[in-house]
Amino acid sequence: MKLLRILPYARKLLSETIQPGEIVIDATTGNGNDTEFLAEQVGENGHVYAFDIQQAALDSTFTRLGELNKRVTLILDSHENVEKYVALEIGGAVFNLGYLPHSEDLSIVTRPDSTLKAIQSMIGLLKKGGLIAVSVYDGHEGGHEERDALLAYVKTLHQADVHVVRYELFNQRNNPPFLILLEKLKDFKIPGQIK
Amino acid sequence: MKLLRILPYARKLLSETIQPGEIVIDATTGNGNDTEFLAEQVGENGHVYAFDIQQAALDSTFTRLGELNKRVTLILDSHENVEKYVALEIGGAVFNLGYLPHSEDLSIVTRPDSTLKAIQSMIGLLKKGGLIAVSVYDGHEGGHEERDALLAYVKTLHQADVHVVRYELFNQRNNPPFLILLEKLKDFKIPGQIK
């Protein structure tokens, strides 16, 4: 299959981007699926900062990671506070917007304000050529508002600063997620404007 | 740059798909830019059927192709009549919807009915694993109707039959084109329903 589904497509691009030894961010740790993938990408000398606002998510990720925990710092805080924890350049970041998978509390979802603040901060931290992959699930309550706020924000990024791609399996049933991919094209610190 | 612009991205996928010796179709020959690319892909034993409704487009493509004309049949007819000319399996096809580039007559544009009929026919002709790349420019008069008709049609393709990807540089200025990519996942003859 040449036309990949969104998660394999995001991982293919991230694996081409992230170099061993780099710092990367899992902005929405959830069940640790992406944390594990990122920990494998950065190798023994790299590091993953993994954020979640639910202790249960971090606990299950800790169990999942096993030996890979050496490469990961699990952080019980909102990703919007990323700059409190990470000051060095990052090679990439991953967001999965929407619910925590398998959470019992469906009121715990990502929110527009914190999502945009986090993405803006991480674009600032990103290396030139680095990539942020955002999977957008908009089926939950408030999901449309978050999606629209995200799309409005990324349109404010200048095309000479950041390439923004929307990638979508267009004929899937049941409100499928789509990808927003951000590639930083040159060095700068303050990207775009949150309205 | 990892996040390619739409034309390089389409060509990357087509070059991974089209095999030497195959038959492929340029549905909108225009200035012959894609015809030349396709003729290179199919090699000495393959063939390109290139359609345009303007003799001037075919003339300039003939001049451009030089030695590659041996691999190309230029056809002065609408792509909707593809089945009159091509009966064998094809490896891929390319559409550029909108104006003929540099045409003096801006009333000559692709039209929803013939575009959809052509795409439907070519999906039927396509090999399993084959790819159709459609660049959608919707800035011209009638462009929105053609875009909407195309998007409505491709949504009727079953996800088990055809993967449909929409790929778009999202923060480009000036009404940029986007890509619709179709990958045939299994053998069948009559794809989707034109409403």
Side-chain angles (χ1 to χ4, degrees):
Chain A
M1 204 130 64
K2 284 145 216 104
L3 297 182
L4 298 175
R5 291 174 193 281
I6 70 164
L7 295 181
Y9 184 62
R11 288 192 170 189
K12 178 171 182 287
L13 290 169
L14 286 164
S15 70
E16 291 168 8
T17 304
I18 297 166
Q19 300 299 313
E22 287 187 337
I23 294 167
V24 300
I25 295 172
D26 187 346
T28 49
T29 299
N31 58 20
N33 193 22
D34 286 327
T35 321
E36 185 175 22
F37 165 75
L38 293 170
E40 288 162 353
Q41 299 303 305
V42 297
E44 285 187 18
N45 300 314
H47 205 74
V48 183
Y49 291 88
F51 290 81
D52 210 288
I53 54 171
Q54 295 185 99
Q55 185 63 47
L58 300 183
D59 289 346
S60 70
T61 297
F62 183 84
T63 304
R64 176 190 192 122
L65 288 176
E67 282 292 303
L68 288 172
N69 275 299
K70 285 185 288 189
R71 305 180 187 176
V72 178
T73 299
L74 298 170
I75 299 168
L76 183 67
D77 197 352
S78 167
H79 44 225
E80 72 182 303
N81 298 317
V82 58
E83 289 173 340
K84 289 188 191 170
Y85 302 92
V86 184
L88 296 171
E89 184 177 81
I90 64 172
V94 173
F95 288 76
N96 282 289
L97 303 187
Y99 298 122
L100 172 70
H102 316 303
S103 174
E104 289 179 7
D105 184 351
L106 297 182
S107 72
I108 300 178
V109 295
T110 52
R111 305 278 181 200
D113 288 356
S114 52
T115 296
L116 297 194
K117 186 161 181 291
I119 290 174
Q120 190 182 44
S121 294
M122 290 184 209
I123 297 173
L125 291 168
L126 202 62
K127 70 175 177 181
K128 183 179 166 183
L131 198 74
I132 299 175
V134 186
S135 298
V136 185
Y137 301 79
D138 60 8
H140 57 286
E141 196 179 324
H144 286 202
E145 289 73 16
E146 185 177 40
R147 175 198 65 199
D148 292 343
L150 173 67
L151 296 179
Y153 168 63
V154 298
K155 272 212 192 275
T156 70
L157 298 168
H158 194 285
Q159 59 187 11
D161 293 339
V162 183
H163 257 184
V164 181
V165 159
R166 178 176 173 151
Y167 182 92
E168 183 173 10
L169 269 283
F170 197 73
N171 64 333
Q172 306 288 295
R173 307 302 186 246
N174 303 323
N175 205 29
F178 64 89
L179 264 185
I180 291 290
L181 298 157
L182 305 159
E183 180 179 1
K184 190 169 177 175
L185 301 177
K186 60 186 188 190
D187 286 319
F188 59 88
K189 290 295 173 197
I190 304 168
Q193 294 187 335
I194 299 171
K195 285 169 184 172
Chain B
M1 204 130 65
K2 286 144 214 105
L3 298 182
L4 298 175
R5 292 173 193 282
I6 70 164
L7 296 182
Y9 184 62
R11 289 193 171 188
K12 178 171 183 286
L13 290 169
L14 287 164
S15 69
E16 291 168 7
T17 305
I18 297 166
Q19 300 299 314
E22 287 188 336
I23 293 166
V24 301
I25 294 172
D26 187 347
T28 49
T29 299
N31 58 19
N33 193 22
D34 286 327
T35 321
E36 184 175 23
F37 166 75
L38 293 170
E40 288 161 354
Q41 299 303 305
V42 297
E44 286 188 17
N45 300 313
H47 205 75
V48 182
Y49 290 88
F51 289 81
D52 210 288
I53 54 172
Q54 294 185 101
Q55 185 62 47
L58 301 183
D59 290 346
S60 70
T61 298
F62 183 84
T63 303
R64 175 188 192 124
L65 289 175
E67 283 291 303
L68 288 172
N69 275 299
K70 285 185 288 190
R71 305 179 187 176
V72 178
T73 300
L74 298 170
I75 299 168
L76 183 68
D77 197 352
S78 167
H79 45 223
E80 73 182 302
N81 298 317
V82 58
E83 289 173 340
K84 288 188 192 171
Y85 303 91
V86 185
L88 297 171
E89 184 178 81
I90 64 172
V94 174
F95 288 76
N96 282 290
L97 304 187
Y99 298 121
L100 171 71
H102 315 301
S103 174
E104 289 179 9
D105 184 351
L106 296 182
S107 72
I108 301 178
V109 294
T110 53
R111 305 279 180 198
D113 288 357
S114 52
T115 297
L116 296 194
K117 185 162 180 292
I119 291 173
Q120 190 183 43
S121 294
M122 290 184 210
I123 297 173
L125 292 168
L126 203 62
K127 70 175 177 181
K128 184 179 165 182
L131 197 75
I132 298 175
V134 186
S135 298
V136 185
Y137 301 79
D138 60 8
H140 56 286
E141 195 178 325
H144 286 202
E145 290 73 15
E146 185 177 41
R147 175 198 65 197
D148 293 343
L150 173 67
L151 295 179
Y153 168 63
V154 298
K155 273 214 192 273
T156 71
L157 298 169
H158 194 285
Q159 60 186 11
D161 293 339
V162 183
H163 257 185
V164 181
V165 159
R166 178 175 173 151
Y167 182 91
E168 183 173 10
L169 269 283
F170 196 73
N171 63 333
Q172 305 289 295
R173 307 300 187 247
N174 302 323
N175 204 31
F178 64 89
L179 264 184
I180 292 290
L181 298 156
L182 306 159
E183 181 179 1
K184 190 168 177 175
L185 300 177
K186 59 186 189 189
D187 286 320
F188 58 87
K189 290 296 176 199
I190 304 167
Q193 295 186 335
I194 299 172
K195 284 169 182 171

